[in-house]
Amino acid sequence: MTFIGSTVLGFPRIGPDRELKRALESYWAGRSAEADLREVARRLRADTWRDLAAAGLDSVPGNTFSYYDQVLDTAVTFGAVPSRHAELGLSPMDTYFAMARGTASAPPLEMTKWFDTNYHYLVPEIGPETRFALSDRTAVEDFREARKLGVETRPVLIGPLTFLLLAKPADGAPDDFRPIDKLPELLDAYEELLAELRKAGAEWVQLDEPALAADRAPAELEALRNTYRRLGDRSDRPKMLVAGYFGDLGDALPILAAAQIEAVGVDLVAGASAIDRLPALSGLRDKTLVAGLVDGRNVWRTDLDRALTTAATLLGLAGDVAVSTSCSLLHVPYDVDAENDLDPQVRQWLAFARQKVGEVVALGRALRVGRESVRGELENARAAVASRASANRDQRVRARVDSLRPEHSRRGDYRERAEAQQKSLRLPPLPTTTIGSFPQTTDVRKARAAHRAGRIGLAEYQRRMRDEIERVVRLQEKLGLDVLVHGEPERNDMVQYFAEQLAGFATTEHGWVQSYGSRCVRPPILFGDVHRPESMTVEWARCAQRLTDKPVKGMLTGPVTMLSWSFVRDDQPEADTARQVALAIRDEVRDLEAAGIRVVQVDEPALRELLPLRAADRPAYLEWAVESFRLATSGISDGTQIHTHLCYSEFGDVIDAIVALDADVTSIEAARSRMEVLDDLNAVGYARGVGPGVYDIHSPRVPQPDEVADLLRAALAAVPAERLWVNPDCGLKTRDYPETEAALSNLVAATQRLRDGL
Ligand SMILES: Nc1nc2c(c(=O)[nH]1)N[C@@H](CNc1ccc(C(=O)N[C@@H](CCC(=O)N[C@@H](CCC(=O)N[C@@H](CCC(=O)O)C(=O)O)C(=O)O)C(=O)O)cc1)CN2
Ligand SMILES: [Zn+2]
């Protein structure tokens, strides 16, 4: 008889009210002690274990807490601390934060996207000299702490293969060195940790291997086989659940099914295509299949009938079956019930982390005891699914999309555009600009909070924002920048701000999701057909442009990024949704042009993030991504200059798409890669304006004029001065004013020096 259980692969950790964010920022600012921070963390862990156990999960994940990032935790656990951080001589906690955030003398680890999500992890640096050793026992202590509270957890660790595949070679490593070369040594340390967990009483552990959802070379698959053969052979270890998620595990699936492990976790939402291959995997018969049937990445209530039908087909295939989430719930907010202002109809369609735990438990019970036992849950889910399916059609939007023709996504010849733009803008060589946001001061945030709470009226709020815009414009004039911005003070977030004004989107009050460290976002919910009831940014842009003779750059977020950083309807192809969003932005671009704005930037920082993990799926994505950007940015005169901005990624895989966007100017993160992206752009014949970021805004460090000048010289070797722009890497909203002013002043000084030499 198959045993049927329920579990989730992970849970949010920032706290239902962002308690961890506040505790971290207070500790960093020196306003509280390490013990205070630890106490907040301990309470958050205890609350999570208690809630998950009380909800009725058969297995509760443990070690899902992190002070900053789970990949960083893994590096510290196994002793992969770069010497520049170890040598600071700080406490363990402060060494950890030095790796995450850097210090004046030691830059942090690089930060990049966690697969195709908006979560960012810290990239471990592994070199030939890295000595792996079990150096931190947080995972064991976490298990003991839960047990003391009466909850037996299943500690979650990043799998060794994924850890090394996400790492990068340390500076100075030989060219042919790859972190994965160190797998055998790392496995020694994993074996030690597994043995300690077993000794502490852990029956199970979970090893996460999401790297298996991407294309993997034969040698990597061989490494997978060897990894779990070695770990599997040990008798002094807990039972192992190896979970692959974010897609179909492809060739890795049969390897896991045959491995000497006790459970395999599969993502049957993003990797639903794997279902047909499960029956052929005889290795599953003596294992537990952890079936990821509840979407851990999106917020729609699960179609429980459909999930049960799928689950029923799994029962004969494996020894035991556990119903689970497709991945960790880290990527969704805590609780729909915390929302007071959601439209009741939309709210009925939603499940956040707590509700998803309930769904998993209900599915497990339905399978084990019978559908009757959860009749109410099934009926509610059915009603929600039916209600969502019948709502959300706006015929006007659909007719407009249907009427689109290829010429709606095409602008005139670039050379003519460039000429018309130069005539209107009269920019010097090496024009300087910024990426849009200026520091979001406490005053600005407080004004917004006060306005939301009704303590100040709309007129007063707008007055404060206009004052802030004036301050930012004057500052830019003083600094001598060429293309100005209004600074985005009125925006809580570059996606949420637009979602709040577009029909078809809902936004939340408490729906925070961790983006990195203490930084969170409230991803909007794109539930219906999208259109723009009225202009969104024109008044602010006009207000800024009135203050100055220099061109002010209008600032919008592109369709791909709007989708990527929202929870998006799953009842139609993303391409269709993107087209609707693109039309709304297109209307805004035209209105900005009509208001006298001559430069419009349409940000697409998530262009690379949404790129499918498997190469075979990429062309289709890139086609709709590029087409929707072009749809948003065509339909204006040649003389209006379109900028785009890309950041947070390696761009090698999307370089052709960047060219195809047909923007007049592309600003792109490059400071950390020493301008390499320029060679990539040259290689594919990109011959438009380009602004490789000349300093890293993610660090409080102020770049010196010499450094900036060096980078610009490197850039000028690849790009002629007529096409080269000078700008920071990204927006300045997370920075302070003193460092921002200093950095921009150095940026302008360095530019002037190079101009003089032209
Ligand atoms: N959506 C999105 N994804 C992104 C980025 C981005 O900008 N947006 N950038 C990249 C990096 N990710 C980032 C994610 C978040 C933040 C960030 O700064 N987030 C802020 C919150 C931004 C926000 O929504 N602010 C609101 C709400 C602010 C707030 O917390 N208010 C207080 C009260 C006000 C106060 O006294 O401060 C409250 O509600 O409790 C506002 O300004 O209105 C934070 O965590 O601190 C930065 C980068 C990639 N992904
Ligand atoms: Zn950016």
Side-chain angles (χ1 to χ4, degrees):
M1 176 56 192
T2 309
F3 173 78
I4 300 150
S6 57
T7 192
V8 296
L9 295 187
F11 205 72
R13 56 197 180 209
I14 198 83
D17 199 24
R18 290 183 298 161
E19 290 86 348
L20 181 60
K21 173 195 177 63
R22 284 181 240 282
L24 283 169
E25 290 176 358
S26 150
Y27 175 70
W28 293 336
R31 289 195 308 268
S32 57
E34 181 176 330
D36 303 319
L37 174 59
R38 286 192 180 278
E39 175 55 20
V40 170
R42 191 196 58 73
R43 268 208 310 271
L44 288 172
R45 287 192 295 265
D47 289 350
T48 300
W49 294 322
R50 193 200 53 219
D51 288 355
L52 293 182
L57 289 180
D58 294 298
S59 177
V60 172
N63 199 38
T64 60
F65 177 80
S66 176
Y67 282 104
Y68 203 97
D69 165 49
Q70 69 272 15
V71 180
L72 174 61
D73 295 352
T74 313
V76 170
T77 297
F78 297 113
V81 178
S83 48
R84 68 176 183 281
H85 301 117
E87 285 160 4
L88 294 168
L90 300 170
S91 70
M93 182 71 97
D94 288 344
T95 306
Y96 175 91
F97 289 136
M99 289 169 77
R101 311 175 65 232
T103 66
S105 63
L109 299 183
E110 192 181 313
M111 186 169 83
T112 196
K113 294 276 177 180
W114 175 245
F115 300 93
D116 54 355
T117 75
N118 192 8
Y119 177 79
H120 306 66
Y121 72 93
L122 291 158
V123 184
E125 297 171 10
I126 309 292
E129 289 84 38
T130 305
R131 289 284 156 262
F132 289 122
L134 181 57
S135 313
D136 175 276
R137 288 169 170 75
T138 301
V140 183
E141 285 153 22
D142 181 279
F143 176 80
R144 292 211 174 93
E145 194 178 301
R147 176 174 261 197
K148 266 200 207 124
L149 297 172
V151 183
E152 295 291 321
T153 56
R154 176 186 81 241
V156 180
L157 306 169
I158 302 237
L161 201 67
T162 293
F163 176 72
L164 290 177
L165 289 171
L166 293 179
K168 68 172 197 184
D171 270 352
D175 281 347
D176 60 349
F177 172 83
R178 308 221 336 274
I180 193 123
D181 300 341
K182 304 277 281 189
L183 183 60
E185 284 168 57
L186 178 62
L187 290 182
D188 290 340
Y190 266 83
E191 285 179 346
E192 203 181 329
L193 177 58
L194 293 182
E196 288 203 14
L197 284 168
R198 178 75 211 117
K199 230 170 95 199
E203 187 191 352
W204 282 94
V205 290
Q206 172 181 325
L207 292 147
D208 281 353
E209 294 284 13
L212 302 179
D215 294 330
R216 300 274 58 125
E220 293 167 344
L221 292 170
E222 193 50 34
L224 171 68
R225 199 174 284 120
N226 294 336
T227 296
Y228 289 99
R229 182 179 299 142
R230 244 193 83 178
L231 296 181
D233 268 343
R234 302 288 298 221
S235 57
D236 57 346
R237 62 170 176 88
K239 293 184 204 164
M240 288 191 288
L241 157 60
V242 178
Y245 46 84
F246 295 151
D248 189 325
L249 302 186
D251 295 336
L253 182 60
I255 297 175
L256 285 185
Q260 217 174 313
I261 58 178
E262 287 66 33
V264 179
V266 287
D267 178 340
L268 298 180
V269 178
S273 47
I275 293 176
D276 299 336
R277 301 203 311 286
L278 294 176
L281 302 172
S282 58
L284 288 178
R285 308 258 154 82
D286 61 355
K287 293 190 175 60
T288 300
L289 178 63
V290 177
L293 290 162
V294 168
D295 194 345
R297 287 278 295 273
N298 214 332
V299 291
W300 309 113
R301 226 164 142 153
T302 305
D303 182 340
L304 294 182
D305 290 321
R306 218 178 80 186
L308 278 177
T309 307
T310 307
T313 69
L314 305 176
L315 292 185
L317 305 180
D320 296 323
V321 170
V323 179
S324 179
T325 50
S326 61
C327 60
S328 167
L329 292 169
L330 183 67
H331 311 287
V332 294
Y334 272 83
D335 193 357
V336 179
D337 292 338
E339 299 300 322
N340 303 305
D341 295 339
L342 273 178
D343 173 339
Q345 193 187 21
V346 174
R347 164 205 287 273
Q348 183 205 358
W349 304 335
L350 303 176
F352 292 175
R354 284 201 177 124
Q355 287 71 36
K356 283 169 188 287
V357 170
E359 292 181 334
V360 162
V361 171
L363 286 169
R365 195 169 298 143
L367 287 169
R368 193 163 48 207
V369 190
R371 290 181 184 227
E372 277 306 298
S373 64
V374 290
R375 210 172 73 197
E377 282 95 327
L378 292 179
E379 272 167 13
N380 288 342
R382 217 169 281 144
V385 169
S387 150
R388 181 152 79 95
S390 65
N392 302 329
R393 296 283 180 285
D394 182 326
Q395 290 316 326
R396 295 230 311 271
V397 174
R398 291 183 172 253
R400 190 171 173 206
V401 169
D402 288 343
S403 73
L404 290 173
R405 299 286 167 268
E407 61 268 24
H408 289 111
S409 308
R410 253 183 247 137
R411 294 194 72 193
D413 176 65
Y414 171 68
R415 247 166 262 285
E416 285 167 29
R417 276 155 41 194
E419 230 169 80
Q421 290 162 17
Q422 186 49 19
K423 229 197 247 147
S424 127
L425 297 169
R426 303 191 175 285
L427 295 169
L430 306 177
T432 54
T433 190
T434 60
I435 305 304
S437 57
F438 269 69
Q440 280 259 342
T441 59
T442 319
D443 280 352
V444 162
R445 290 224 169 98
K446 278 203 176 123
R448 196 161 25 257
H451 174 49
R452 223 177 21 241
R455 289 192 303 274
I456 62 172
L458 181 62
E460 171 64 11
Y461 175 68
Q462 289 177 338
R463 192 188 61 74
R464 292 197 199 175
M465 294 301 128
R466 277 196 303 270
D467 286 352
E468 178 70 11
I469 290 172
E470 172 149 21
R471 222 170 53 74
V472 169
V473 168
R474 296 291 169 241
L475 172 63
Q476 294 171 87
E477 288 183 319
K478 187 185 92 186
L479 288 164
L481 290 156
D482 300 306
V483 173
L484 311 194
V485 296
H486 78 289
E488 306 179 25
E490 79 290 6
R491 304 187 186 179
N492 42 18
D493 174 78
M494 61 184 285
V495 165
Q496 184 173 2
Y497 176 75
F498 292 97
E500 283 170 356
Q501 303 183 69
L502 289 167
F505 277 94
T507 53
T508 67
E509 238 178 307
H510 305 284
W512 294 100
V513 174
Q514 187 179 24
S515 182
Y516 68 89
S518 69
R519 297 281 175 180
C520 302
V521 294
R522 277 173 292 178
I525 298 165
L526 195 172
F527 65 86
D529 286 345
V530 173
H531 71 99
R532 186 195 69 143
E534 52 192 290
S535 76
M536 304 180 283
T537 64
V538 174
E539 278 319 306
W540 301 118
R542 211 201 304 258
C543 152
Q545 185 65 83
R546 268 196 217 110
L547 295 166
T548 176
D549 294 333
K550 293 204 169 165
V552 170
K553 183 159 66 165
M555 198 56 60
L556 305 173
T557 301
V560 175
T561 301
M562 288 299 297
L563 259 62
S564 193
W565 294 353
S566 300
F567 295 116
V568 176
R569 62 192 296 180
D570 55 1
D571 59 347
Q572 66 180 24
E574 281 173 310
D576 296 353
T577 310
R579 243 174 247 127
Q580 296 180 359
V581 175
L583 283 174
I585 299 165
R586 179 185 175 94
D587 294 343
E588 188 73 10
V589 174
R590 292 167 80 134
D591 284 355
L592 283 168
E593 179 184 67
I597 301 297
R598 292 167 286 165
V599 184
V600 179
Q601 179 172 309
V602 179
D603 292 324
E604 281 295 20
L607 181 71
R608 171 66 181 75
E609 169 184 319
L610 263 200
L611 188 71
L613 298 176
R614 296 213 181 257
D617 304 326
R618 291 177 179 179
Y621 158 72
L622 289 171
E623 193 181 322
W624 70 253
V626 167
E627 202 252 352
S628 61
F629 180 90
R630 294 175 62 138
L631 180 57
T633 53
S634 307
I636 44 169
S637 73
D638 282 355
T640 298
Q641 189 167 69
I642 295 289
H643 289 213
T644 190
H645 163 70
L646 308 165
C647 60
Y648 285 104
S649 330
E650 296 282 324
F651 294 100
D653 292 334
V654 294
I655 214 83
D656 293 305
I658 294 174
V659 177
L661 294 179
D662 196 27
D664 298 301
V665 179
T666 303
S667 74
I668 190 162
E669 181 176 301
R672 279 180 290 180
S673 60
R674 299 276 322 166
M675 307 280 133
E676 278 161 24
V677 71
L678 296 178
D679 297 327
D680 295 347
L681 281 168
N682 277 342
V684 293
Y686 181 87
R688 312 274 163 91
V690 60
V694 292
Y695 83 88
D696 177 11
I697 62 91
H698 298 103
S699 155
R701 256 190 86 248
V702 172
Q704 295 309 302
D706 285 346
E707 275 173 63
V708 176
D710 281 351
L711 283 172
L712 285 175
R713 260 179 231 111
L716 277 170
V719 181
E722 313 82 79
R723 295 203 281 110
L724 188 63
W725 286 65
V726 183
N727 46 258
D729 243 353
C730 190
L732 301 162
K733 65 184 167 200
T734 58
R735 302 265 60 93
D736 287 339
Y737 264 103
E739 70 208 33
T740 295
E741 275 195 60
L744 291 178
S745 156
N746 292 348
L747 177 151
V748 172
T751 305
Q752 199 48 54
R753 229 190 269 169
L754 272 116
R755 276 184 195 151
D756 294 343
L758 284 177

